[in-house]
Amino acid sequence: MSQPPLLIGCASGFSGDRSDGAAAVVRTLAARGGGTLIFETLAERTLALAQLARNDDPNCGYEPLLDELVGPILADCLRDGINIVSNFGAANPPAAARRIAELAREQGLPVPRIAVVHGDALNGPEHRALLKERLGAALDGLDIVSATAYLGAEEIAQALSAGAQIVVAGRVADPSLTLGPALAHFGWDPADWPRLGRATMAGHMLECGLQVTGGYFCVPGLKEVPDVHAAGFPIAEIQADGEFVIGKAEGTGGAVDARTVKEQLLYEVHDPARYLTPDVVADLSQARVVELGGNRVAVHGITGHARPDELKVNVCYRGGWLAEAEISYAGVQAEARARLAADIVQKRLGADYKLRADLIGAISILGDDAGAMRRATPDSHARDVRLRLATENADRALAERVLREVTALYTCGPAGGGGVRTALRPRLNMMSCTIPREAVRSGWNFLEEIAP
Amino acid sequence: MTQTLLAVPLYRLAHGRSGDKGDISNLSLIAWDAECYDVLAEQVTESRVAQWFAYRHPKRVTRYALPMLNAMNFVLEGVLDGGVNDALNLDTHGKSLSFRLLDMTVEVSPELASRLPDIPGDRPAAA
């Protein structure tokens, strides 16, 4: 008899996602015999922000909403044998693991076996030398906040096979959160590229949460989605050969159909024959989808090729100051007055002062930083326009000048400008490279093996 | 007798989503069905898309065809003003760019146009 599918539900697509979706996912998994719950909470810069938090307090540096994500479903997961796998450890996986153990104690639960993945942080001097070799002069003089390698599914799979009920990681590739449990469950050969390719794309479908269940899909009049305000988080059913079906939590809104699945399948893909992860090069060039009804869609035709030789590294560094200021105009010649206001500020700051101007309500986000599109677009006579001016500078005082100039438009004109808001914030910039796998010493431990 | 073709915006034939990695944006374009896909395959070429996004000065535009999904994937290099960490755009990710692509027009027969979804009163952006 064939093995039953592995069910993996995802209840977060980034740090900042809705945190109330896990309960419906867990109920669905439990009703269907158990499975694995994953939370994806690390965008490219999230980890640098977490590192800054850890610098300030050695007990911080993991996902700030950890309690909210895990607290409500911890008892149910432990009771129903649902494992939890996540990158919510961010810059401090041991602290996140300790917090989960504490949550279990607070709730009167037996403390679960928690595994902690390590090795993604590249903080040693030998790592810096290697990054210098790869990035060269671009690295000179930078105030580096974090450097992390994208780990794969191997440590997660090993920890689950050893009996971990919860696996806490920092930087692992998003789809590896799904591939790890699949490797452990089915016992696949880690070089079985077609199976790894398929399960990796199952992870890709899950890792952005509602993006595959109709949330980041709906367009009134063109692509309607029922009860989108209460759209459910996705669940993948992975078969022993890696083929998978995408569905969603029971009793939720949203939709999973061929269109929602195709949009997510191609999300952030370049060459569909070569989707790179640390685990495999997935190949979706021959993918096809079949609607099964009941918000379930099967994805067929995916395969995989040997994994890349090197691991991707993100280096985040302090990037100076971002200054943004806004002012609104309405009525006759509103757009013309907003355009004039932008010209006035540019003239006063000088032609060399880098300034982006957006006419919100007429032309804004579609334009380029240099303003070519804005200048090429004739005045549309928009009658309710918000001008946004933005700059960046390593020198805080220079960045602040645009804030002062926009505020002064209150009396200096053009006529009728109101509602000035200004903001100044430090920037985190990023660059990427790859490094040899041997340079990254990754592994995992049970929490009790880690010195507090 | 030659039939007069109608110019219609892509959003009547297809849907899509933007993704970003660094300074590279990918825009999926997914036709409602095989008939619509044939129109895209013929008319939505790399050079037309490069032209449509010329103001964002793409270094290269590559089209990958996925006929089994009735879809294509456009990869636009160098269009995000440095990407999510460097751009001054409010939409640093370029999330909105897929909807810019959906405003591009293609020519279809009046018969096909009559069967396509429409948003009455909408006037798509010009080139």
Side-chain angles (χ1 to χ4, degrees), chain A residues 306-358:
Chain A
R307 68 185 192 180
D309 291 335
E310 303 209 325
L311 295 178
K312 182 181 171 183
V313 173
N314 282 350
V315 179
C316 277
Y317 56 96
R318 291 184 196 274
W321 298 88
L322 171 68
E324 299 171 280
E326 298 179 1
I327 184 168
S328 282
Y329 298 89
V332 65
Q333 291 291 67
E335 183 175 337
R337 280 178 283 141
R339 285 176 182 263
L340 174 58
D343 289 345
I344 288 170
V345 173
Q346 184 77 68
K347 277 181 180 147
R348 291 186 56 79
L349 293 171
D352 292 341
Y353 191 94
K354 184 181 177 184
L355 203 56
R356 180 189 169 100
D358 291 303

Side-chain angles (χ1 to χ4, degrees), chain A residues 42-338:
Chain A
L42 278 188
E44 286 186 332
R45 272 178 308 175
T46 318
L47 209 141
L49 296 169
Q51 184 62 50
L52 291 173
R54 182 179 180 166
N55 295 347
D56 290 342
D57 179 344
N59 292 314
C60 291
Y62 57 85
E63 166 57 43
L65 295 178
L66 181 69
D67 284 25
E68 234 177 85
L69 292 172
V70 174
I73 47 87
L74 185 56
D76 289 346
C77 285
L78 296 181
R79 187 192 60 222
D80 294 319
I82 295 168
N83 294 327
I84 301 174
V85 176
S86 177
N87 54 12
F88 49 35
N92 200 350
R98 283 193 290 274
R99 179 60 199 146
I100 294 170
E102 212 170 273
L103 278 171
R105 278 190 289 269
E106 283 169 18
Q107 296 183 19
L109 304 168
V111 173
R113 300 217 75 192
I114 306 176
V116 181
V117 176
H118 64 82
D120 57 321
L122 306 178
N123 295 329
E126 75 282 14
H127 290 133
R128 290 300 155 90
L130 187 57
L131 294 175
K132 172 80 187 153
E133 190 185 305
R134 290 301 173 99
L135 288 164
L139 214 57
D140 289 344
L142 293 183
D143 184 357
I144 294 175
V145 173
S146 67
T148 49
Y150 282 86
L151 305 182
E154 200 176 328
E155 290 79 18
I156 294 169
Q158 289 168 359
L160 290 169
S161 296
Q165 293 164 283
I166 299 175
V167 182
V168 181
R171 179 68 79 202
V172 297
D174 297 349
S176 305
L177 298 173
T178 297
L179 179 58
L183 281 170
H185 182 81
F186 294 113
W188 294 332
D189 181 331
D192 187 339
W193 309 122
R195 280 182 171 81
L196 268 60
R198 291 191 272 272
T200 290
M201 291 317 290
H204 175 79
M205 302 306 288
L206 295 176
E207 74 191 37
C208 294
L210 303 195
Q211 282 199 175
V212 73
T213 61
Y216 200 77
F217 169 84
C218 56
V219 179
L222 291 172
K223 298 186 291 175
E224 305 278 359
V225 176
D227 288 326
V228 68
H229 68 283
F233 276 83
I235 295 173
E237 308 161 27
I238 303 175
Q239 308 285 345
D241 61 2
E243 295 266 316
F244 60 91
V245 170
I246 298 295
K248 67 184 182 71
E250 296 294 338
T252 60
V256 179
D257 63 22
R259 299 173 308 167
T260 70
V261 165
K262 288 179 189 178
E263 274 198 23
Q264 182 56 22
L265 191 62
L266 296 177
Y267 177 65
E268 289 185 339
V269 167
H270 292 170
D271 180 351
R274 293 186 54 77
Y275 185 73
L276 270 55
T277 78
D279 303 303
V280 64
V281 175
D283 180 347
L284 54 137
S285 59
Q286 304 302 314
R288 59 205 158 77
V289 303
V290 179
E291 290 185 348
L292 303 176
N295 288 302
R296 290 172 73 239
V297 173
V299 182
H300 301 294
I302 293 172
T303 187
H305 312 292
R307 68 185 192 180
D309 291 335
E310 303 209 325
L311 295 178
K312 182 181 171 183
V313 173
N314 282 350
V315 179
C316 277
Y317 56 96
R318 291 184 196 274
W321 298 88
L322 171 68
E324 299 171 280
E326 298 179 1
I327 184 168
S328 282
Y329 298 89
V332 65
Q333 291 291 67
E335 183 175 337
R337 280 178 283 141

Side-chain angles (χ1 to χ4, degrees), chain A residues 45 216 263 366 369 427, chain B residues 15 17 55 73 81 85 87:
Chain A
R45 272 178 308 175
Y216 200 77
E263 274 198 23
L366 286 178
D369 279 1
R427 282 202 126 177
Chain B
H15 60 110
R17 177 175 293 173
Y55 69 99
N73 187 38
D81 283 311
N85 302 291

Side-chain angles (χ1 to χ4, degrees), chain A residues 434-446:
Chain A
T434 62
I435 60 172
R437 287 177 181 274
E438 311 79 73
V440 177
R441 285 179 299 279
S442 55
W444 67 277
N445 295 100
F446 281 116

